[in-house]
Amino acid sequence: MDNSSKLHVTMLPWLAMGHLIPFLELSKYLAREGHRISFISTPRNIRRLSNFSSNLSPLITLIELPLPHVHGLPENAESSMDIPANKSQYLKIAFDGLEGPIAAILEGSTPDWIIYDYASHWLPSIAARLGVPCAFYGLFTAAMLAFLGPPSVSLGGEATWSTAEDLTVSPSWVPFPSNIVFRLHEVKHSLPENISGVSDSYRFGIALRDCEIVAVRSRVEFEPEWFDLLTQFWQKPVIPIGFLPPVEDEVNSTEWVELRAWLDKRRTESVVYVALGTEARLSQEQVNELALGLELSGLPFFWVLRELPGSTKDGRNMGMLPDGFEDRTRNRGLVYKGWAPQFRILGHSAIGGILTHCGWNSVIEALRLGRALILLPVMNDQGLNARLLEEKKIGLEIPRDERDGSFTRDSVADSVRLVMVEKEGESLRSKAKEAREMFGNRDENERCLDGFVRFLEEHKRKRG
């Protein structure tokens, strides 16, 4: 293929590491195919990505745009990991302030395609004015995108979800039996107060309506009925790009040697890895019950307890862990502070399962290796992901109070033991191992990506 057929693609992800990293992985794949990438984000996020991966192609240009100052947004906050959840709308206001600078960049470069995220509802109109086609990159399950509803719902033309309880039942537009709904305690996280002037539902609606193609980070084999529903709703190509299983993350070698030494002392598939992502916040009571539940389970654990967004203190010196917990569990548990090399940890033979917040990135990383899933969703789409995984019988959700989301140490211990070691959990462990062929098969996943790239290339050829 000659160079004239190669693409220039502009990438614009939302300001969250769970979005930035998959956009970067897609960028690296396109660059390996010879396509040129302009990747736009803020200075601090660009530095984070550079630290995350030094293996960047010369075909990828990282473009820094400073966020405008917004009253209410903490200084130097450029990502959702920098702020508590109740500040997320301020970050969206700042992100919307990039509309003008991004328009100027696009006017000066005129790419062949723009691949964008849900938050930039203003981008398609800029692209249309410049005659540049757009692809929406959905970093969510097809089930979650379909749950948002057809255009008449997501764009606000049809009244729905007038109460929190409305979100706890299967929507009327889902024509088949489904348990993929929110719990009442999740609704307050999924529907934050809208002070940006634009609801998340509307952002999704515009992003889906005004693109030429919807790319979904999933596979039809995993959720066929939901892909069918999405295509019916939007009447345009909905292309699965596969799970985009991550490449090995880079990490300080000394740090990894120490962590690996701890894991090397454990039996194969005996350790439960506990990781609740970069943004999920548990209350003090929930942290206590989680800790005491891990202790009560009697099983080895590796717990990544990160600094809370908006806090200057980490989980240890805030006194979040119960008194004496680390001393009592020292011989079989490790509480690790900071950014952990999750890819390598999950890949160690000692890890048997993961207690996860159900972020789609973490689920993909775990299932690509066939790790059993203990589900503790906290915010955003995580509750819907948990229901989907339970429906597929490849995960078990820790029982919680439907209204306030509380759980007990006993429910944690019972869930961990059932998924990790008990006879009743054999089918879950087996299903997770079976999922490895779908989630972790790089050749099959790259075939999906190849189909997506062919669509982009063919569209350019037809446009001349």
Side-chain angles (χ1 to χ4, degrees):
M1 188 180 292
D2 60 43
N3 285 335
S4 65
S5 66
K6 295 302 182 183
L7 302 168
H8 174 206
V9 179
T10 294
M11 295 277 186
L12 184 61
W14 165 236
L15 306 176
M17 292 308 291
H19 292 239
L20 289 157
I21 291 173
F23 265 78
L24 182 65
E25 291 301 321
L26 179 57
S27 297
K28 290 195 288 188
Y29 176 81
L30 291 170
R32 287 198 298 271
E33 297 296 305
H35 304 296
R36 185 162 56 94
I37 308 298
S38 297
F39 191 105
I40 302 175
S41 194
T42 65
R44 192 176 183 192
N45 287 324
I46 293 295
R47 287 195 299 273
R48 283 167 169 153
L49 292 176
S50 300
N51 292 334
F52 169 78
S53 177
S54 60
N55 183 29
L56 291 177
S57 166
L59 290 172
I60 300 176
T61 301
L62 301 175
I63 300 174
E64 299 182 7
L65 282 182
L67 271 185
H69 174 73
V70 170
H71 179 71
L73 187 66
E75 188 177 357
N76 297 323
E78 297 183 13
S79 164
S80 54
M81 72 180 290
D82 300 327
I83 56 174
N86 61 5
K87 297 286 186 180
S88 64
Q89 290 291 306
Y90 295 102
L91 190 63
K92 288 188 172 75
I93 293 172
F95 183 70
D96 289 343
L98 294 178
E99 178 179 357
I102 287 172
I105 288 173
L106 295 174
E107 288 166 359
S109 62
T110 316
D112 297 305
W113 278 93
I114 302 170
I115 299 179
Y116 66 111
D117 213 331
Y118 82 97
S120 46
H121 64 287
W122 33 264
L123 183 63
S125 62
I126 298 172
R129 174 166 55 83
L130 298 174
V132 179
C134 291
F136 170 66
Y137 182 13
L139 301 175
F140 309 89
T141 64
M144 183 271 178
L145 293 173
F147 184 89
L148 295 174
S152 60
V153 172
S154 59
L155 293 174
E158 188 175 289
T160 189
W161 293 335
S162 57
T163 68
E165 285 76 8
D166 291 337
L167 284 157
T168 66
V169 297
S170 186
S172 60
W173 51 85
V174 176
F176 44 81
S178 171
N179 294 320
I180 299 176
V181 297
F182 284 105
R183 302 287 187 247
L184 198 56
H185 68 87
E186 295 167 341
V187 173
K188 60 182 178 182
H189 295 298
S190 302
L191 297 177
E193 181 185 3
N194 178 27
I195 63 171
S196 72
V198 184
S199 70
D200 282 356
S201 177
Y202 186 80
R203 290 178 190 270
F204 273 105
I206 292 294
L208 288 160
R209 185 193 72 184
D210 292 348
C211 61
E212 273 71 23
I213 177 177
V214 178
V216 183
R217 193 185 179 194
S218 185
R219 288 176 60 181
V220 171
E221 300 93 324
F222 183 64
E223 41 180 345
E225 67 277 23
W226 295 103
F227 270 99
D228 288 345
L229 200 53
L230 268 185
T231 303
Q232 292 171 32
F233 286 169
W234 297 102
Q235 294 295 302
K236 65 182 64 179
V238 176
I239 297 184
I241 66 167
F243 297 108
L244 207 67
V247 296
E248 187 167 319
D249 45 2
E250 298 172 21
V251 63
N252 179 282
S253 58
T254 303
E255 178 185 56
W256 171 238
V257 166
E258 293 173 355
L259 298 179
R260 186 176 61 192
W262 188 90
L263 290 166
D264 285 345
K265 297 174 183 176
R266 272 68 203 175
R267 291 182 294 104
T268 299
E269 297 186 353
S270 66
V271 178
V272 58
Y273 176 55
V274 184
L276 300 178
T278 58
E279 301 171 35
R281 293 175 68 99
L282 297 182
S283 68
Q284 175 69 70
E285 181 182 358
Q286 289 174 330
V287 171
N288 283 343
E289 292 302 308
L290 177 55
L292 295 173
L294 292 171
E295 181 178 358
L296 192 60
S297 75
L299 299 178
F301 64 86
F302 187 118
W303 186 0
V304 178
L305 189 58
R306 287 183 52 79
E307 178 182 324
L308 297 177
S311 172
T312 58
K313 300 180 179 179
D314 62 71
R316 287 181 179 179
N317 60 31
M318 285 182 71
M320 291 188 72
L321 293 172
D323 289 342
F325 169 75
E326 288 185 270
D327 289 335
R328 294 194 302 272
T329 61
R330 191 174 304 281
N331 291 333
R332 62 178 175 86
L334 175 65
V335 179
Y336 181 77
K337 180 183 68 177
W339 185 280
Q342 180 161 293
F343 188 100
R344 292 190 179 190
I345 294 168
L346 281 169
H348 196 283
S349 61
I351 302 296
I354 177 173
L355 195 159
T356 174
H357 64 309
C358 306
W360 193 226
N361 289 331
S362 291
V363 169
I364 289 170
E365 288 188 24
L367 288 180
R368 91 192 198 288
L369 291 164
R371 303 308 186 203
L373 303 175
I374 304 120
L375 312 173
L376 188 67
V378 181
M379 59 192 295
N380 300 333
D381 60 320
Q382 296 163 10
L384 299 182
N385 294 343
R387 312 294 112 74
L388 178 64
L389 294 165
E390 277 212 319
E391 199 169 88
K392 300 289 183 182
K393 302 187 187 309
I394 52 177
L396 177 72
E397 190 168 351
I398 294 173
R400 303 169 75 168
D401 184 285
E402 294 270 335
R403 301 196 67 84
D404 65 16
S406 61
F407 52 85
T408 68
R409 64 198 69 177
D410 290 320
S411 65
V412 171
D414 291 346
S415 299
V416 168
R417 289 195 59 81
L418 189 150
V419 172
M420 290 290 293
V421 296
E422 291 181 357
K423 184 174 179 59
E424 294 91 329
E426 283 182 0
S427 63
L428 288 170
R429 296 190 290 274
S430 176
K431 283 277 189 180
K433 285 183 169 61
E434 290 173 13
R436 180 170 48 196
E437 178 58 28
M438 183 182 297
F439 281 77
N441 187 315
R442 189 163 292 277
D443 290 341
E444 289 295 326
N445 280 287
E446 288 201 355
R447 264 193 277 274
C448 293
L449 277 169
D450 289 343
F452 173 62
V453 175
R454 283 196 300 272
F455 183 96
L456 302 184
E457 293 171 337
E458 183 63 24
H459 192 279
K460 178 183 178 180
R461 281 194 289 271
K462 288 179 179 178
R463 285 165 57 87

